[in-house]
């Protein structure tokens, strides 16, 4: 990265948020809403490449899918906002094709799948914080859907929890280019280091190498 930051892969995780068929793939219930921004940014191909390269460098790859039992009994019977849209489109139903992680990012051996995501912030209803701290993770890089929703919500909490947060600007997508660009320009810099996937991967040093920037490392 521009400031010469070097990250220890052993202390680094790439968090892939909702790379599921309902978002990523033709026929997915929400794909048409994000397809344009996905195409413009090339975010799926970028995420696939970044995950593989980070994995090879020794970083932890964490998948954060969202899913609901048929009927959405886990959430309010009268959802509003973004969750109302999920229910109306019958998206992310547990064990369905739409809820499945896209083939290009099928979890590899050694990857971790976060359990229990039912809302926007990946930390809120899952075991993510336990996983990160148990593994001694200090640096967390985020990619996925939506730029200004689940990615941003997770970014803010990771920042508040003291992690060194990176947002992969070419590995995210929203329902409009305007919302996507606004989040990256105005929100991401407040709570993370916004970087491209190539910049992030280039910052990963050899296994066991000490990171030179721990300005917001995981607190003791």
């Amino acid at each position: 990265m521009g400031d010469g930051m070097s990250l220890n892969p052993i202390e680094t995780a790439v968090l892939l948020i909702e790379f599921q068929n309902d978002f990523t793939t033709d026929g997915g219930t929400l794909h048409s809403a994000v397809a344009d921004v996905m195409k413009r940014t090339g975010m799926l191909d970028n995420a696939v490449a970044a995950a593989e390269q980070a994995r090879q460098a020794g970083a932890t790859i964490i998948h954060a899918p969202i899913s609901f039992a048929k009927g959405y009994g886990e959430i309010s019977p009268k959802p509003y906002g973004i969750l109302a849209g999920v229910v109306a489109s019958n998206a992310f139903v547990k064990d369905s094709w739409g809820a499945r992680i896209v083939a290009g990012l099928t979890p590899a051996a050694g990857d971790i799948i976060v359990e229990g995501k039912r809302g926007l912030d990946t930390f809120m209803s899952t075991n993510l914080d336990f996983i990160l701290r148990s593994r001694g993770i200090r640096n967390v890089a985020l990619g996925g859907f939506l730029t200004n929703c689940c990615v941003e919500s997770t970014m803010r909490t990771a920042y508040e929890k003291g992690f060194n947060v990176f947002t992969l600007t070419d590995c995210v997508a929203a329902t409009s280019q305007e919302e996507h660009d606004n989040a990256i320009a105005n929100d991401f810099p407040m709570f993370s280091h916004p970087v491209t996937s190539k910049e992030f991967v280039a910052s990963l040093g050899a296994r066991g190498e000490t990171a030179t920037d721990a300005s917001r490392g995981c607190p003791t």
Side-chain angles (χ1 to χ4, degrees):
M1 283 168 276
D3 57 5
M5 186 182 298
S6 177
L7 304 174
N8 181 350
I10 301 302
E11 297 178 342
T12 302
V14 178
L15 180 61
L16 302 169
I17 300 172
E18 297 179 14
F19 279 93
Q20 294 160 266
N21 287 323
D22 272 336
F23 267 144
T24 60
T25 311
D26 286 340
T29 60
L30 297 172
H31 179 64
S32 62
V34 296
D36 183 57
V37 179
M38 285 184 68
K39 183 177 181 180
R40 292 189 188 190
T41 62
M43 61 88 74
L44 184 54
D45 288 342
N46 291 335
V48 170
E52 179 58 28
Q53 291 165 20
R55 187 185 291 115
Q56 291 179 2
T60 299
I61 307 301
I62 302 177
H63 304 264
I66 190 171
S67 66
F68 303 91
K70 187 176 181 180
Y72 300 93
E74 304 98 326
I75 59 176
S76 167
K78 294 183 179 180
Y80 65 96
I82 189 70
L83 288 179
V86 169
V87 173
S89 62
N90 200 38
F92 306 120
V93 175
K94 185 178 180 181
D95 297 326
S96 69
W97 172 84
R100 191 177 306 157
I101 294 172
V102 64
L105 284 170
T106 298
D111 287 6
I112 296 172
I113 302 175
V114 165
E115 300 173 359
K117 191 174 190 300
R118 300 291 184 269
L120 313 184
D121 180 351
T122 309
F123 285 94
M124 289 303 293
S125 60
T126 75
N127 55 349
L128 176 60
D129 189 63
F130 173 82
I131 291 169
L132 295 175
R133 295 183 188 279
S134 295
R135 295 182 65 86
I137 298 297
R138 298 166 62 88
N139 314 299
V140 180
L142 308 176
F145 302 88
L146 297 167
T147 312
N148 58 330
C149 187
C150 293
V151 174
E152 182 167 331
S153 295
T154 304
M155 170 192 68
R156 289 171 179 256
T157 298
Y159 182 86
E160 295 281 11
K161 286 180 174 289
F163 292 99
N164 191 28
V165 187
F166 298 82
T167 42
L168 306 180
T169 57
D170 57 347
C171 295
V172 293
T175 56
S176 75
Q177 194 69 42
E178 180 182 9
E179 292 171 312
H180 173 84
D181 291 343
N182 179 71
I184 290 174
N186 297 313
D187 297 340
F188 281 24
M190 295 179 65
F191 308 103
S192 73
H193 307 284
V195 295
T196 67
S197 55
K198 288 183 179 180
E199 290 172 330
F200 171 74
V201 169
S203 75
L204 295 173
R207 292 172 184 256
E209 179 180 310
T210 301
T212 60
D213 185 309
S215 58
R216 292 194 56 80
C218 180
T220 58

